Amino acid sequence: MLTNKFKLGGLLLLMSVPNFAAPVRDTININRDWLFHAGEGDAKTFTKWSTVNLPHDFQVSQPWVAPGKDETGYKGDEASNVKSRLSARGFKEMGAGWYKKTITPDTSWKGKRVLLDFQGIMLVGDVYLNGERIGGTDYGYVGFDIDISKKLRYDASNELLVYSSTGASNVSRWYTGGGLFRDVNLIITDAEYFFPRHPLYITTPKVSESSAEVNIQAEICCYLKYKNFNIAVDIFDPTGKNVASKRLVVPFNRKMKDYEYQLEPIRVSNPKLWSCEEPNLYTAQIKLLDEQGNVKDSIREEFGIRTIEYSPDFGFKLNGKKVLLKGFANHHSLGALGAAAFPRAIEKRIKLMKQFGYNHIRTSHNPYSEDFLKLCDRYGIIVVDELYDKWLTNFAGGRRPWTELWQYDVPEFVKRDRNHPCVVMWSLGNELQTYANLPYNDWGVTPFKLQRELLHRYDTTRPTTVAMHPRGRSLTTDSIPAPLALVTDIAAYNYRYMYFPGDARRYPNMIFYQSEANTSNLPANFFEPDHKKVVGSAYWGAIDYLGESNGWPAKGWAQGVFDISLEPKPIAYLMKSMFTDIPTIHIGVVRQVAKDNVWNGVNVGTAKMDENWNLQEGQKVSLNTYTNAEEVELFVNGKSYGTKKNPTDNPKKRDIIKWDNIEYHAGTVEAVAKSNGKIVARHKLTTTGEAVKLIAMPDQQTWHADGKDLLHIRVVAVDSKGRRVPTADTKLKFNVEGNAEIIAVSNGDITSDESLVGSERSLYQGSALVILRSTDKAGKIVFTATGDKLTSARLKLVTK
């Protein structure tokens, strides 16, 4: 093995790389031990810095800003003016931050190509090396790299500074977070013969049960006087077995030092297809060899073998089979973690949603992290990949005109994501066709065509769309679609599935996808469209999130079916009833009926429910039962309140059975679901005693000591019989001993004024969530949760 020496901030790292005859690509993650300073100004004058590890969101730890309060600095009319932007961006102040790191490269890097790779900076940012600005981003959702080969001082210290800013309050409509919210890497390659950024384009145009054709286009940079390239291609199946190999001689186009070469197709026998149920992933490994056979560069890329089809007759097919997209659309933030893109937190969300029947995510309204796409590949989640919100400067970073950005953003976006089998559709924007000031003054038609033409330069295997604003039909009448909807490959309508039949009659070639659906109208959004013909739907805000609040004290969106700490609300089981064939029944105690809450012309108001059966004796309550069974019988302490049929003939009420004026008596309320006269599912709520102790439940058994892995711990208060007490609201304190740290706390109450960062959190409905981050040192860890008059919870944990 060869060893690379690399010094970061006084720490010498030894990086092992494969022992090829010549040095090859080395990717070194530099997430740990950055210095951070909050605020604008000249970084040279800062004297106070704190140590942080990436990914990092500097905004999430800031105090809440309540509009209208004197101590916030806003008074009277001024407070009214800031209310809208504060609620949209999570009641956090906009701001900036500086990150600093010292890099001391080994002299062996001289003569190599050394890149700084940023997977994103939120929301805009600049990069400085030894006092010189060397790059940056004006739209931080897409990544970039910087060649620093000729700017580094070898065998000497180099100061790396990164400036990041949330931008002004009007450059986003939601909570963005701020900072180095994704990974930062150093990449070292050969300087004269190498693969550039996102070099591979892998497609599978011919697929059958017996074989699949794998086409690989490889972008290669060469500054040598070769006549031909020697290229080694190996394909590995999902088990890691080498199932195809080729050694190719490719003529070198000397006129083009950077060129895309179409390699000979490779045949894979008996392919294992990628699908939602069996997300099989293959790996392509491509090596560049010199004339002596030494490896000069090597890259590996996962891909899936699958086919996709769209038609007005069937909507969407995956591998020749109809698949209905049952999904959700959320912003990129991750609850109490803010915008910091931790893979484990993303994975937790994907696994949870899949348990409830989801098979699809729309990345609203910007590219998510590449880790997100890798996890969707792994778990069989279908993705509609979205690049922008509006095609206007104030919606795309705000620092440069959008017209100067898209030419660079589109290639980076598509080239990064095009090999992911989970991505089945591109979306270039959202709810923008109503804006009269869009470029070219034709309601988005020309900007869309320009972007799609550029997109097709890099991928032609997927359709392209734009999500339509629900109030933006044609310029003259609501009876026909907007001009933009008529030129997109897929007609993506937000909240307006009811237009599908009429538009299909007038325009029979249109293919329909409901890019946003409201959770306040769950059954109708799902059951009324013709499943045989539509692509599917994505429910907006299925998980509560920071920003886009309907007003203080709510810190964000509260109409999800999961709360911000990922606890399912009762209505989540309605979604499960609709999306799955698993016999389901669940009780929700109605606390407040749905109130009108109009958002973009759509009523998104939802009822407030919980599972608390600790009420006042004799109180009359209303219950909702959610089921996909034929009928439900309700019991209170064994007394039947009758049997009701599932209103399956009414798509607006299907799978919802309501019970009014149910008299509460301490004990139990139980719903029994039956189909064909047989019991298929039960759900029971029970009156509990007083909370006496805490229980802490980690969400996984394997916790990696990689400095980035997370452990989510659910802490609940239980009574003497071990039952969760939904009325418990004690403030808890948390402590960690060993190689881990508490990085976030939550409890699902989006109206809480408590901080998302710290070691304290009150119980909400008897529960709290603590998120721990490992260090890069393995070892034993002890977690403790304490609360007044409650027996403490203690966990012994290990990172490996």
Side-chain angles (χ1 to χ4, degrees), residues 350-573:
I350 290 173
K351 292 171 68 174
L352 172 67
M353 303 307 270
K354 192 158 187 174
Q355 290 172 6
F356 279 76
Y358 289 82
N359 65 7
H360 161 53
I361 298 173
R362 172 184 168 222
T363 68
S364 310
H365 304 291
N366 46 261
Y368 287 9
S369 68
E370 190 166 12
D371 285 326
F372 163 81
L373 292 176
K374 290 178 180 178
L375 288 163
C376 288
D377 286 343
R378 185 185 308 169
Y379 285 101
I381 299 295
I382 295 170
V383 173
V384 172
D385 203 358
E386 193 156 275
L387 177 58
Y388 291 120
D389 185 18
K390 314 291 187 283
W391 301 331
L392 297 167
T393 301
N394 279 355
F395 295 96
R399 202 161 67 163
R400 289 176 60 196
W402 175 83
T403 52
E404 297 178 5
L405 298 181
W406 66 267
Q407 303 93 326
Y408 304 97
D409 294 341
V410 169
E412 170 66 18
F413 164 64
V414 176
K415 292 176 72 175
R416 190 199 71 168
D417 297 353
R418 61 189 174 181
N419 294 328
H420 289 280
C422 66
V423 177
V424 302
M425 190 190 308
W426 304 112
S427 175
L428 293 173
N430 171 70
E431 293 185 348
L432 50 83
Q433 82 276 14
T434 60
Y435 285 78
N437 57 337
L438 290 174
Y440 308 108
N441 197 33
D442 60 356
W443 305 95
V445 172
T446 297
F448 171 75
K449 289 181 176 180
L450 289 170
Q451 290 176 87
R452 183 174 59 180
E453 188 67 21
L454 179 57
L455 187 153
H456 283 169
R457 165 69 177 81
Y458 300 102
D459 180 58
T460 57
T461 66
R462 301 166 176 90
T464 306
T465 193
V466 173
M468 297 294 133
H469 194 289
R471 289 177 290 142
R473 296 287 279 172
S474 80
L475 307 183
T476 57
T477 174
D478 276 353
S479 64
I480 59 175
L484 181 58
L486 295 174
V487 299
T488 57
D489 302 327
I490 305 293
Y493 292 179
N494 286 358
Y495 308 103
R496 288 296 185 255
Y497 69 87
M498 61 286 295
Y499 289 140
F500 292 174
D503 287 355
R505 286 192 297 270
R506 293 181 180 88
Y507 305 95
N509 291 326
M510 293 185 83
I511 303 168
F512 297 100
Y513 162 62
Q514 189 171 204
S515 34
E516 289 179 23
N518 49 322
T519 56
S520 58
N521 199 22
L522 283 177
N525 278 295
F526 184 69
F527 291 116
E528 287 198 338
D530 186 347
H531 287 186
K532 294 179 181 179
K533 293 187 176 182
V534 300
V535 173
S537 295
Y539 282 87
W540 180 257
I543 304 174
D544 289 352
Y545 58 86
L546 295 175
E548 293 191 307
S549 164
N550 290 120
W552 184 269
K555 309 308 184 296
W557 180 263
Q559 283 72 47
V561 299
F562 298 88
D563 71 29
I564 197 169
S565 75
L566 301 183
E567 282 282 85
K569 302 177 185 179
I571 199 172
Y573 294 89

Side-chain angles (χ1 to χ4, degrees), residues 7-10 30-39 41-54 56 58 96-104 116 118 121 126-131 153 157-164 179-180 184:
K7 194 173 183 182
L8 293 177
I30 57 172
N31 280 356
R32 295 194 64 78
D33 299 321
W34 288 75
L35 297 178
F36 174 75
H37 179 92
D42 184 354
K44 295 178 182 178
T45 66
F46 300 152
T47 58
K48 294 183 179 180
W49 298 80
S50 59
T51 301
V52 299
N53 299 312
L54 311 184
H56 179 247
F58 66 72
W98 288 86
Y99 296 81
K100 181 168 69 171
K101 178 180 282 292
T102 300
I103 299 175
T104 306
L116 268 172
F118 291 86
I121 301 176
D126 302 293
V127 182
Y128 301 84
L129 184 66
N130 299 324
R153 295 195 291 251
S157 63
N158 295 259
E159 183 182 72
L160 178 63
L161 276 172
V162 181
Y163 168 81
S164 64
L180 293 177
V184 180

Side-chain angles (χ1 to χ4, degrees), residues 728-758:
D729 58 2
T730 304
K731 190 164 191 174
L732 306 184
K733 294 183 179 181
F734 311 111
N735 184 62
V736 173
E737 300 175 8
N739 296 326
E741 61 176 332
I742 299 171
I743 61 166
V745 289
S746 184
N747 64 9
D749 181 8
I750 206 159
T751 67
S752 173
D753 293 341
E754 294 179 303
S755 175
L756 300 171
V757 178

